[in-house]
Amino acid sequence: NCMKDIIEEINNAEKKRQNLDFQIDGMVIKVTDYKMREYLGYTDKFPRWAIAYKFYAEQVPTKLIDVVWDVGRTGKVTPTAHLKPVDIGGATVKRATLNNKWDILRKKVKLNVDVWVRRSNDVIPEIMGVVDENQIGEEIPVPTNCPSCNAVLEEKGMLLFCPNKMCKPQIVAKIAHFASRDAMDIEFLSDKTASQLVDEFNIIACFIYSIGC
């Protein structure tokens, strides 16, 4: 009976969440008997008498307009989906992650088709798959050359990499990482500022790259 009551409360909360004035992504289920709490005790970090339950992330349909391949700090080239703007949980989503070219094939996504999108953990937009597998669309081209420096890409497992360590997006990302809070904590040095630094003072950018950012 206890589990039945918990499941019923979860279902009721999930129905009501859309009408709340604030966003929730789950519930915490607790043992209310204090003697039982003492008996159950704690792990190193968490009480054994409480557990978090996450609601299923809301999925909505929208159109996949384009896929842009971006170069990251390590040279990894990843696809980002550009979507027809859609509201998910009070946030307007225009872009979503596609992890790699195999993710594109696995989810059978194409340009100009309708796709299911959710915010993973109600935060990160993610494409789950196509709405209708029979819908006609265009194949998503997978690059063979770096979209920034045109170097021939290297394939490592499921991932694509630009081998050119002086590729501008890599250097910009390295500088931004060097200046980030977890590194040197240089305030106001954003990606855009780093990009201007590379354009205007390329020698400095090369020096920062050379010290291993």
Side-chain angles (χ1 to χ4, degrees), residues 58-193:
E58 179 186 4
Q59 295 187 29
V60 298
T62 189
K63 180 162 289 193
L64 174 58
I65 299 171
D66 194 12
V67 171
V68 176
W69 297 78
D70 300 306
V71 185
R73 177 168 59 93
T74 63
K76 184 168 71 172
V77 181
T78 54
T80 299
H82 288 225
L83 308 166
K84 181 179 179 181
V86 62
D87 182 85
I88 305 178
T92 301
V93 173
K94 299 179 182 179
R95 298 182 182 182
T97 183
L98 282 167
N99 297 310
N100 49 57
K101 70 174 187 176
W102 301 111
D103 198 35
I104 292 172
L105 294 173
R106 180 174 63 85
K107 294 175 179 176
K108 300 179 180 179
V109 293
K110 296 180 180 180
L111 299 178
N112 299 314
V113 302
D114 295 323
V115 294
W116 290 110
V117 182
R118 75 171 184 180
R119 290 171 67 198
S120 182
N121 294 322
D122 283 340
V123 179
I124 304 170
E126 177 184 13
I127 290 178
M128 302 306 297
V130 295
V131 175
D132 180 4
E133 291 188 7
N134 295 319
Q135 188 177 5
I136 298 174
E138 301 173 39
E139 295 292 337
I140 296 170
V142 177
T144 56
N145 294 72
C146 175
S148 177
C149 70
N150 204 40
V152 177
L153 297 179
E154 295 178 354
E155 193 168 328
K156 299 179 181 179
M158 296 184 293
L159 305 176
L160 296 172
F161 286 88
C162 172
N164 178 16
K165 299 303 181 183
M166 297 308 295
C167 181
K168 180 182 174 181
Q170 292 186 53
I171 295 176
V172 169
K174 288 176 192 292
I175 295 172
H177 176 71
F178 177 80
S180 67
R181 182 175 298 176
D182 293 333
M184 298 304 294
D185 195 15
I186 302 174
E187 201 170 357
F188 305 123
L189 210 169
S190 64
D191 287 1
K192 288 186 177 180
T193 305

